[in-house]
Amino acid sequence: MSARLEVKTAPLSVTPTGTLVIYAADGAQPEGAGATIWAATGIDWTKVTAASGFKGKQGQVLDFLTPTGISADRLLVLGSGKPADGEAIATTAWTDRGGSLCAKLMAARAETAAVIIDSPDATPARIAEIVAGLRLRHYRFDHYKSAKKDPDAEPKSLTVTLHVADPATTDTAIADRAATVDGTLLARELVNEPANVLGTLEFAERAAKLAALGVEVETLDEPQMRDLGMNALLCVSQGSARPPRLVIMRWNGGKKGDAPLAFVGKGVVFDTGGISIKPAGGMEDMKGDMGGAAAVTGLMHALAARKAPVNVVGVIGLVENMPSDRAVRPGDIVKAMSGTTIEVINTDAEGRLVLADALWYTQHRFKPRFMVNLATLTGAILAALGHDHAGLFSNSDDLSAKLLAAGLASGEKLWRMPMGAAYDKMIESRFADIKNSAGRHAGSITAAQFLARFVNDVPWAHLDIAGAAFGTNANEINTSWAPGFGVALLDRLIRDNYET
Ligand code: BES
Ligand code: MN
Ligand code: ZN
């Protein structure tokens, strides 16, 4: 089982207990209250740094057991990385500090820790980032691991007290940021869960739980979708014993009557490829093919938990892509809700079929200010961008600029890809209006062109998160398979541009 984490704040004046943590910037000694503690130990800074090679870089640590002169039984001096007289660092560097702090405390097997944060640049918002990093790094997906035999294997809980200049203001900032962290952790959990546990109905149930936070949740079942003409979405789920669902989540924190922002997610709870079945190697990763829907659900959680002053609608299409005697076949032609006919060339190009109807429905029912969809849509985006950027496809330079900026600010980065008439031509079909697969060339772009056929005069962006949603490298703030990509990004987009 995962250890429990609790984070509190206290004034700098309170005597710290447990494992004590102070910081030293790159090339500098501890400052403020940290300097006082260091002085009390009587240890010579110059000798220690010369003997250890400690420079104050992020990730470096000096570890003293039973130091004299102070009450703590262990003193950790962590490098804070920023040069002593350097420029302000990016917000994400503060989050990384929190992640690194968590790693050091876990490595020290600490159960209670006191962290002295006394530096002029440590504003409440930045301290809230440290707490965010702590919590994001602490997350593990291990509920299917049997409990270890050795009862001493790992402390059961970690309580961290941050000693700061202004605890009251800091607590408010921490609570606000925690809402977004909770959204990210929810998205991670949904992506990490295996498909036998998280099917379409189970996912819909988890989304319905957002009602407790004040989100209005509506769920459409198969007959309702059939009545609406959502045959593109429905042809994907028809081969699975698990029924499809379309979940609509509304957070109305803004002015009554203001058009909402809309987010649409691909929620393929498992993608076998269908009749165009995928090869066995790596197919287990396709439990994460609902990463777009997870991000939208996590975002709705974040917005409601922090009572964001904005109207937002989240729509997720939940299906399972299975081969069976009832499954859609290559060559089949279906009519989408928009009236567009689609020739299904490859049943493994299913995400775009789901999104075609979800996007059309969302723009017509809600008349949103903009629409952003997230989808683990193409292997080709992995070939192009790897894991470090998600692909951005858009009909709006303004929305693109805002998304790119939010990506840099949140650390969930995007890279804009081209679209245009020449690519659109590639999805023309011999027998229907369009086809769902256009061959190997420009695979991510032709997928985006397909989606664009279901978007009219609304600013729209498609984020292809096939590389970003799972299987990413471990970093300072995530060691889990699924980073929860998209929640922090879209929360940042909304905070910076659409809240009054
Ligand atoms: N879910 C996959 C895309 C994917 C691949 C996501 C790897 C994450 C990791 C999607 O449904 C798919 O199978 N796309 C096909 C499209 C092709 C048949 C036109 C692909 O990318 O190969
Ligand atoms: Mn597929
Ligand atoms: Zn898929």
Side-chain angles (χ1 to χ4, degrees):
M1 269 300 286
S2 280
R4 214 177 40 82
L5 172 67
E6 192 189 343
V7 184
K8 304 187 281 197
T9 61
L12 286 162
S13 55
V14 170
T15 309
T17 54
T19 297
L20 183 53
V21 178
I22 61 177
Y23 280 97
D26 200 348
Q29 296 198 20
E31 59 180 332
T36 311
I37 289 166
W38 181 258
T41 66
I43 307 171
D44 187 307
W45 180 261
T46 314
K47 280 187 188 158
V48 162
T49 49
S52 64
F54 180 92
K55 299 233 170 14
K57 296 196 187 311
Q58 162 93 358
Q60 287 190 317
V61 58
L62 288 171
D63 188 352
F64 302 93
L65 293 167
T66 63
T68 53
I70 59 175
S71 56
D73 49 16
R74 189 165 192 164
L75 175 65
L76 299 178
V77 184
L78 300 191
S80 63
K82 174 184 173 293
D85 52 0
E87 309 166 23
I89 57 170
T91 306
T92 50
W94 290 88
T95 333
D96 286 348
R97 280 182 190 171
S100 185
L101 170 63
C102 180
K104 300 301 181 213
L105 293 175
M106 301 291 272
R109 302 168 48 79
E111 287 178 57
T112 57
V115 183
I116 310 299
I117 301 177
D118 187 19
S119 146
D121 58 353
T123 58
R126 288 167 172 168
I127 297 170
E129 286 302 324
I130 293 181
V131 178
L134 255 169
R135 294 189 55 216
L136 290 166
R137 178 64 177 263
H138 194 260
Y139 172 81
R140 280 198 232 165
F141 183 76
D142 58 4
H143 16 263
Y144 300 106
K145 289 271 192 193
S146 304
K148 290 238 172 64
K149 294 268 162 15
D150 178 5
D152 306 325
E154 193 171 77
K156 293 238 177 332
S157 71
L158 170 60
T159 303
V160 180
T161 305
L162 302 175
H163 293 261
V164 301
D166 184 353
T169 316
T170 306
D171 283 345
T172 309
I174 289 172
D176 186 61
R177 182 67 175 86
T180 311
V181 172
D182 286 337
T184 299
L185 296 180
L186 172 59
R188 285 184 186 178
E189 194 74 6
L190 292 167
V191 175
N192 280 322
E193 282 287 9
N196 62 323
V197 173
L198 194 80
T200 51
L201 298 180
E202 293 82 5
F203 195 133
E205 270 167 34
R206 297 221 190 171
K209 285 197 183 137
L210 296 186
L213 294 171
V215 178
E216 285 171 32
V217 185
E218 220 181 298
T219 305
L220 303 189
D221 63 13
E222 183 175 344
Q224 288 170 303
M225 286 190 266
R226 197 162 294 290
D227 287 348
L228 287 161
M230 295 186 168
N231 301 310
L233 183 151
L234 289 173
C235 85
V236 178
S237 67
Q238 77 190 36
S240 170
R242 290 154 144 193
R245 290 288 185 267
L246 192 81
V247 182
I248 300 129
M249 297 165 273
R250 304 179 73 176
W251 168 251
N252 295 315
K255 277 209 227 62
K256 210 179 149 83
D258 273 5
L261 316 178
F263 298 91
V264 178
K266 169 180 172 181
V268 178
V269 295
F270 195 82
D271 180 13
T272 63
I275 297 298
S276 315
I277 199 163
K278 288 180 181 295
M283 204 207 274
E284 66 278 10
D285 283 359
M286 287 300 111
K287 71 172 183 173
D289 207 21
M290 26 55 69
V296 171
T297 308
L299 175 69
M300 298 309 291
H301 180 108
L303 297 173
R306 67 180 180 80
K307 300 200 175 352
V310 60
N311 295 337
V312 177
V313 54
V315 175
I316 56 177
L318 301 171
V319 300
E320 182 172 52
N321 189 20
M322 280 283 176
S324 86
D325 61 329
R326 292 178 305 158
V328 69
R329 292 161 288 256
D332 285 2
I333 295 176
V334 296
K335 186 183 230 164
M337 185 183 176
S338 70
T340 300
T341 56
I342 304 165
E343 183 186 7
V344 178
I345 298 290
N346 188 320
T347 66
D348 197 12
E350 85 297 341
R352 64 199 75 182
L353 298 171
V354 174
L355 289 171
D357 284 333
L359 286 167
W360 186 261
Y361 175 82
T362 302
Q363 79 186 313
H364 287 279
R365 174 162 173 202
F366 297 108
K367 317 245 173 322
R369 280 178 74 178
F370 69 66
M371 221 166 28
V372 173
N373 73 260
L374 299 95
T376 48
L377 204 64
T378 65
I381 204 69
L382 263 156
L385 300 176
H387 291 293
D388 201 41
H389 288 82
L392 162 64
F393 302 82
S394 181
N395 62 7
S396 161
D397 291 344
D398 176 61
L399 180 57
S400 292
K402 290 184 164 100
L403 279 162
L404 289 166
L408 291 176
S410 67
E412 296 184 347
K413 291 173 290 183
L414 304 173
W415 195 262
R416 192 169 181 187
M417 303 283 285
M419 296 185 71
Y423 296 112
D424 180 68
K425 213 171 155 34
M426 293 169 73
I427 62 169
E428 280 174 8
S429 157
R430 177 164 180 194
F431 300 107
D433 297 332
I434 52 174
K435 57 186 176 187
N436 79 331
S437 172
R440 278 178 25 254
H441 290 173
S444 300
I445 306 175
T446 52
Q449 296 294 159
F450 184 98
L451 300 183
R453 291 285 189 124
F454 301 89
V455 175
N456 291 338
D457 289 331
V458 59
W460 159 76
H462 153 52
L463 309 183
D464 192 336
I465 62 170
F470 52 76
T472 51
N473 291 329
N475 60 31
E476 287 287 40
I477 59 167
N478 180 49
T479 60
S480 136
W481 184 64
F485 184 94
V487 177
L489 166 77
L490 298 173
D491 187 77
R492 190 79 260 161
L493 172 80
I494 295 171
R495 278 179 194 264
D496 288 352
N497 300 289
Y498 300 98
E499 292 183 11
T500 39

